[in-house]
């Protein structure tokens, strides 16, 4: 009986937490959502995300205004959005280059300060969750994957 209890406890610890499946076998149930009043940085960050995601998975994600997310789609929120606000993130209080990468329910939120923070959140996400590496301004390693599984994330950072 004691062995069974130990095995059960070990199995429970090995179960995945709140993982999100962003891509699997050439399909994704996600769209990139930006604010209707998205600034240049947010739009550029969304384009960066879409490009890197396509290179990794072969899937082109649609970018939509957050008030036009198609029914049944899950959200990758980029920038100062209501999705971020509903998750308790007030992007207006972030330092210029500070960024946040957070999962919230079945959504992924990438946001940051007005200088470069939003774009930093995208690159931090792909570095940590996607195992991408930027060696310099010209050399990047983006691994290919058919299944992009995302663990629960809660990253907040202010670059030096």
């Amino acid at each position: 009986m004691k062995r069974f209890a130990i095995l059960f406890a070990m199995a429970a610890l090995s179960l995945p937490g709140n993982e999100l499946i962003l891509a699997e076998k050439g399909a994704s149930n996600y769209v990139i959502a930006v604010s209707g009043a998205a600034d240049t940085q947010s739009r550029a960050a969304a384009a960066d995300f879409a490009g890197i995601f396509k290179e990794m998975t072969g899937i082109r994600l649609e970018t939509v205004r957050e008030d036009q997310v198609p029914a049944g789609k899950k959200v990758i929120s980029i920038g100062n959005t209501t999705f971020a606000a509903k998750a308790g993130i007030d992007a207006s209080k972030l330092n210029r280059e500070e960024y946040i990468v957070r999962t919230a329910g079945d959504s992924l939120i990438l946001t940051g300060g007005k200088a470069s923070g939003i774009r930093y959140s995208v690159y931090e996400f792909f570095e940590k969750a996607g195992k991408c590496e930027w060696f310099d301004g010209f050399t990047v390693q983006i691994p290919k994957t058919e299944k992009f599984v995302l663990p629960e994330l809660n990253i907040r950072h202010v670059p030096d």
Side-chain angles (χ1 to χ4, degrees):
M1 184 66 160
K2 197 174 202 178
R3 279 190 198 162
F4 178 73
I6 291 171
L7 287 173
F8 181 75
M10 288 174 61
L13 289 174
S14 67
L15 290 175
N18 293 331
E19 293 181 332
L20 306 181
I21 299 175
L22 297 183
E24 187 170 26
K25 297 180 182 174
S28 179
N29 199 29
Y30 281 83
V31 294
I32 298 168
V34 296
S35 166
D39 60 5
T40 304
Q41 183 184 179
S42 296
R43 288 191 300 276
D48 290 348
F49 188 98
I52 298 166
F53 191 85
K54 177 156 183 7
E55 191 166 337
M56 281 186 73
T57 66
I59 301 167
R60 180 177 306 281
L61 293 178
E62 181 182 10
T63 300
V64 299
R65 286 182 15 181
E66 65 181 329
D67 60 349
Q68 297 179 343
V69 173
K73 288 291 188 176
K74 297 176 184 177
V75 173
I76 298 166
S77 168
I78 297 181
N80 188 359
T81 63
T82 57
F83 287 103
K86 287 178 183 176
I89 300 169
D90 184 353
S92 70
K93 297 195 187 238
L94 298 176
N95 292 334
R96 294 170 38 88
E97 295 183 343
E98 184 174 8
Y99 57 85
I100 294 174
V101 176
R102 182 181 298 168
T103 52
D106 60 2
S107 297
L108 171 62
I109 299 168
L110 305 170
T111 191
K114 291 191 182 262
S116 301
I118 296 168
R119 290 186 88 178
Y120 288 166
S121 71
V122 169
Y123 288 96
E124 178 74 7
F125 167 76
F126 280 109
E127 196 171 289
K128 295 288 193 252
K131 308 294 185 224
C132 297
E133 294 182 88
W134 283 265
F135 300 103
D136 57 39
F138 304 101
T139 311
V140 62
Q141 180 177 335
I142 299 175
K144 311 291 186 234
T145 185
E146 280 191 16
K147 187 171 184 179
F148 194 167
V149 178
L150 185 60
E152 190 170 333
L153 295 172
N154 189 8
I155 300 168
R156 183 174 185 161
H157 184 71
V158 181
D160 294 335

